[in-house]
Amino acid sequence: HMYAPDYISSVYGRRDVRLSPTLAAFVNGVATHSMDFDDTWHPATHPSGAVLPAVLALSDMMPASCKPSGLDFLLAFNVGIEIQGRLMRFSNEAHNIPK
């Protein structure tokens, strides 16, 4: 279903545009980075630009009867950011990042 041509996921700022979850996450991620609406933390990552578009696309693809609550959505977002930060902290690339 993630790669299906279903036009079910939203695109930032375009109410009339719907894409597959994979493409919507990609387009929204590019938009987040290009507009520089992204946060950062140490080690330096830009977690929201990768995590938020994916969580939004996954939420859009879920049936109406199984949509996540606001609390579940925020929990998934925070878990995604935590995972990204931990992966970065333990990567070989993190040692070059100034504190």
Side-chain angles (χ1 to χ4, degrees):
H1 190 66
M2 287 289 293
Y3 299 102
D6 297 329
Y7 302 114
I8 56 176
S9 294
S10 305
V11 175
Y12 297 159
R14 301 287 184 180
R15 290 183 186 201
D16 57 332
V17 176
R18 313 273 292 170
L19 299 172
S20 70
T22 304
L23 289 177
F26 176 74
V27 169
N28 290 336
V30 169
T32 299
H33 286 300
S34 67
M35 298 297 287
D36 201 20
F37 295 138
D38 212 347
D39 50 357
T40 189
W41 69 330
H42 185 78
T45 61
H46 296 288
S48 293
V51 176
L52 185 59
V55 174
L56 285 171
L58 289 171
S59 177
D60 278 345
M61 72 176 253
M62 295 176 78
S65 61
C66 296
K67 292 279 185 197
S69 67
L71 183 61
D72 289 338
F73 185 90
L74 290 174
L75 178 62
F77 176 69
N78 284 306
V79 168
I81 288 176
E82 183 70 23
I83 290 169
Q84 183 185 20
R86 288 179 187 231
L87 289 171
M88 184 62 179
R89 179 161 293 170
F90 297 110
S91 77
N92 291 331
E93 302 301 318
H95 67 86
N96 290 328
I97 299 171
K99 295 185 183 207

